[in-house]
Amino acid sequence: MNVGVVLLNFGEPAGPDREAVTEYLERIFFDNADLERYASESAARERARTLAERRAQALLEEYEEIGGSPLKEQAAAQAERLQSELERRGFDARTYLGYQYVEPLIGDAVATAFDDGVGHVIGLPVYPLSGPSTNVFAVDDLEAAVDERDREVEWHAVTGWHRHPTYPRMRAENVQSFVSEAGLDLQAPDTELVFSAHGTALSYLEEGSRYDQYVEEYTETIAALLGVDEYTLGFQNHENRDVSWTEPDIETAIESVDADRVVVEPASFLHEQSETLSELDLELAAEAEAAGLEFYRVPVPHGEPRLAGIMADLVEPFVAGFDPHHYQLRKCECRDEPGTYCLNADFE
């Protein structure tokens, strides 16, 4: 076994442990310190700690309400299914899990792969829609972890992959299955399809990130596959700093709906976590009820059988050793560095 595939996840604490939650938040705020100006690294770290302590209590309460986060359990199952799929295809490869903000960190996953004798590391962010603080930062961490170990190891990474042809079809069918079981009709004038996407700071878009464009084209594709002409899009923003975020926020989007009910699709997510189980199922549901709307939320298809095949397709050129262009993977433009590929290059 010479190939290791590291699934790169954001991560979050499993439950309401104050120390773990504060450390998790502090890592996030420090990683995004460029959103504000600081005189020194120590000042940035102090600010990250302050922001983390300010946000921690609310997040602790969310974990208590939802009974903890299932993200890690679901991510582990995805890694196991991907390894099984690669083995089924005849590849001798092992999968690893690395998180940006909780243990095992991405660096820990790389260290474990090195200890296993892996000579080729492949990073795959479990974020189909490529964003700066998710896909790009995660691959940055992967490269740094490989370089730190001062060993000749080949590495590659795939960033954005929402254009994989099976992925939007899988998500659309997941939505259709949910609404059919609920006895709903997305074509009915009294029912509105609402996409909720993870928000991002506008400064990242001004610096060149095309995340907002990816969200728009992805939601347009899903709506078309579902035969829906009109729908609503909103962003789940975390406005802990005094910076501008993507608009409209999901709460404003819900208030604008002219219908009797909403069907909310969590467009950015591949795991159930606090941002779906609390922010959508509890907080947004309350907003919808206050606006007189029936609220339905589509489950995240984290265990969908086709997902392992999609992930295997994305890493297969690197595992098998053929030109990734044959699978329409091109040099990434969001992370314009050697070894990084995506399905989004040459976007117009």
Side-chain angles (χ1 to χ4, degrees):
M1 192 276 298
N2 191 49
V3 179
V5 180
V6 183
L7 294 182
L8 310 175
N9 287 274
F10 198 85
E12 69 176 354
D17 178 288
R18 181 172 291 277
E19 182 177 352
V21 167
T22 303
E23 184 177 25
Y24 159 72
L25 291 169
E26 188 173 357
R27 284 171 173 155
I28 295 173
F29 288 127
F30 181 72
D31 221 19
N32 290 272
D34 286 348
L35 292 174
E36 298 177 303
R37 293 182 180 275
Y38 300 99
S40 64
E41 180 179 323
S42 61
R45 289 193 179 278
E46 183 177 347
R47 172 66 167 162
R49 183 70 181 181
T50 299
L51 291 169
E53 291 174 345
R54 182 186 303 171
R55 169 78 175 110
Q57 184 57 40
L59 189 54
L60 284 165
E61 292 172 0
E62 288 183 16
Y63 289 138
E64 289 172 353
E65 285 184 301
I66 65 177
S69 171
L71 188 155
K72 278 192 169 183
E73 179 181 349
Q74 294 173 6
Q78 289 172 348
E80 291 173 4
R81 285 191 287 268
L82 173 58
Q83 181 164 320
S84 295
E85 175 62 18
L86 291 171
E87 291 172 352
R88 188 192 68 78
R89 296 185 183 195
F91 300 121
D92 188 13
R94 183 173 297 176
T95 58
Y96 302 84
L97 276 172
Y99 299 97
Q100 289 180 262
Y101 302 114
V102 295
E103 296 179 349
L105 296 169
I106 292 170
D108 300 329
V110 170
T112 301
F114 276 31
D115 290 343
D116 289 342
V118 165
H120 185 182
V121 175
I122 304 164
L124 179 63
V126 189
Y127 317 111
L129 298 161
S130 182
S133 61
T134 50
N135 305 58
V136 175
F137 283 10
V139 176
D140 286 347
D141 288 349
L142 179 79
E143 182 176 21
V146 171
D147 290 345
E148 282 173 10
R149 275 139 188 93
D150 192 26
R151 180 174 142 193
E152 290 297 321
V153 171
E154 186 179 10
W155 77 273
H156 293 92
V158 178
T159 52
W161 48 273
H162 69 279
R163 293 184 184 176
H164 186 292
T166 303
Y167 183 68
R169 166 56 58 188
M170 183 194 85
R171 294 298 297 246
E173 290 178 358
N174 183 62
V175 174
Q176 187 57 60
S177 176
F178 172 78
V179 297
S180 296
E181 290 178 7
L184 304 175
D185 181 2
L186 290 176
Q187 281 72 42
D190 59 358
T191 302
E192 182 83 355
L193 175 62
V194 177
F195 292 101
S196 186
H198 197 287
T200 193
L202 291 185
S203 59
Y204 286 139
L205 304 182
E206 292 164 358
E207 291 169 1
S209 171
R210 299 190 300 228
Y211 174 73
D212 57 336
Q213 298 177 44
Y214 299 150
V215 170
E216 290 172 4
E217 72 169 42
Y218 169 77
T219 53
E220 180 181 318
T221 300
I222 302 300
L225 289 170
L226 291 168
V228 174
D229 296 325
E230 296 184 5
Y231 55 90
T232 296
L233 168 63
F235 293 89
Q236 288 175 242
N237 294 325
H238 295 163
E239 299 178 356
N240 299 290
R241 289 182 165 100
D242 187 21
V243 297
S244 299
W245 282 65
T246 37
E247 295 181 348
D249 60 62
I250 189 60
E251 294 81 8
T252 301
I254 285 290
E255 292 172 0
S256 71
V257 170
D258 182 18
D260 294 332
R261 66 190 57 82
V262 291
V263 175
V264 178
E265 158 68 355
S268 299
F269 302 99
L270 266 177
H271 311 98
E272 296 289 3
Q273 56 197 86
S274 62
E275 289 168 304
T276 59
L277 300 173
S278 178
E279 292 180 16
L280 296 182
D281 292 354
L282 300 178
E283 297 171 21
L284 191 64
E287 295 274 353
E289 182 179 353
L293 297 167
E294 294 178 24
F295 183 88
Y296 298 85
R297 201 268 290 178
V298 181
V300 176
H302 58 86
E304 221 282 355
R306 284 173 290 183
L307 186 56
I310 293 169
M311 292 180 175
D313 290 345
L314 294 165
V315 301
E316 189 168 60
F318 310 104
V319 175
F322 62 84
D323 188 341
H325 291 84
H326 296 333
Y327 277 18
Q328 304 304 312
L329 289 161
R330 297 180 175 83
K331 189 174 184 293
C332 181
E333 295 176 6
C334 292
R335 186 182 189 275
D336 189 11
E337 299 290 342
T340 309
Y341 292 80
C342 73
L343 292 175
N344 301 335
D346 301 325
F347 180 88
E348 294 182 3

